[in-house]
Amino acid sequence: MNLSTVADIIGIFAAFSAGLSWFKARKHSKKAEQSLSIIQNYRTIEIFTEVNRRIDTIKVNIRSIKKGSNLQRVYGEIESLINDIVNDIPTTYTQLIEELRKIERAIQSSKDKNEPLVDEDQYKILDRIDTIKTSTKIIVEDLRKGT
């Protein structure tokens, strides 16, 4: 057996070993992708759970608006919460973000006029908030089914 034959045999084993390693790496890569998808779903569920909590806070703040109260402070808190929610929601949920922006514009309008949200205006905003909350609950349930 000469040296070139031994080198050929070593080369064949090395190629076989490299092919086997590639196959195992591909298998583990698929498992890692599945794990990453599950982690991303859980993170999105956490985000929307926090969004629901903040939406409840917004509803309480809107219901507490009365004449004579410090409207600018309350409206500022509501706008801050809405901006936080919009920044936290993944950009793929554009319809939800647009609804929040509509609420923000209505709040900004009342803030600029220095008028409290009462009666019909308040009910319209609370109705939009309820719609958003229902949407987020549906999203969370869909994500939970996916995990």
Side-chain angles (χ1 to χ4, degrees):
M1 202 184 259
N2 60 15
L3 192 58
S4 66
T5 307
V6 172
D8 287 342
I9 292 172
I10 291 173
I12 290 170
F13 282 125
F16 178 74
S17 175
L20 187 61
S21 296
W22 172 80
F23 181 74
K24 286 182 178 179
R26 193 178 81 182
K27 179 180 161 186
H28 290 293
S29 171
K30 288 179 182 177
K31 287 183 180 179
E33 286 177 16
Q34 290 172 344
S35 297
L36 180 62
S37 174
I38 290 170
I39 291 169
Q40 287 173 338
N41 272 356
Y42 280 124
R43 177 65 186 130
T44 307
I45 289 170
E46 287 176 9
I47 288 170
F48 280 110
T49 302
E50 181 66 19
V51 164
N52 280 334
R53 189 189 64 75
R54 289 180 181 167
I55 286 173
D56 287 337
T57 304
I58 291 171
K59 286 173 69 173
V60 168
N61 286 349
I62 289 174
R63 287 187 176 125
S64 69
I65 294 174
K66 299 174 186 153
K67 292 182 180 180
S69 65
N70 189 350
L71 295 176
Q72 297 299 318
R73 182 187 57 81
V74 175
Y75 285 142
E77 289 174 5
I78 293 170
E79 285 178 335
S80 175
L81 282 170
I82 291 173
N83 282 326
D84 290 345
I85 291 170
V86 168
N87 291 334
D88 287 347
I89 293 177
T91 55
T92 55
Y93 299 97
T94 55
Q95 187 176 4
L96 204 54
I97 292 171
E98 184 58 35
E99 284 297 316
L100 284 164
R101 292 290 183 205
K102 287 178 184 176
I103 292 171
E104 184 181 32
R105 285 190 291 272
I107 297 291
Q108 183 65 40
S109 173
S110 293
K111 181 180 178 182
D112 291 344
K113 295 176 188 174
N114 202 24
E115 294 177 350
L117 276 173
V118 291
D119 300 330
E120 193 173 317
D121 293 336
Q122 185 183 44
Y123 295 131
K124 284 180 185 178
I125 290 178
L126 290 174
D127 187 46
R128 280 188 177 159
I129 290 173
D130 286 338
T131 303
I132 290 171
K133 185 155 177 129
T134 302
S135 298
T136 58
K137 285 181 179 179
I138 291 170
I139 290 168
V140 167
E141 288 303 315
D142 289 345
L143 288 170
R144 284 188 178 147
K145 288 177 186 175
T147 56

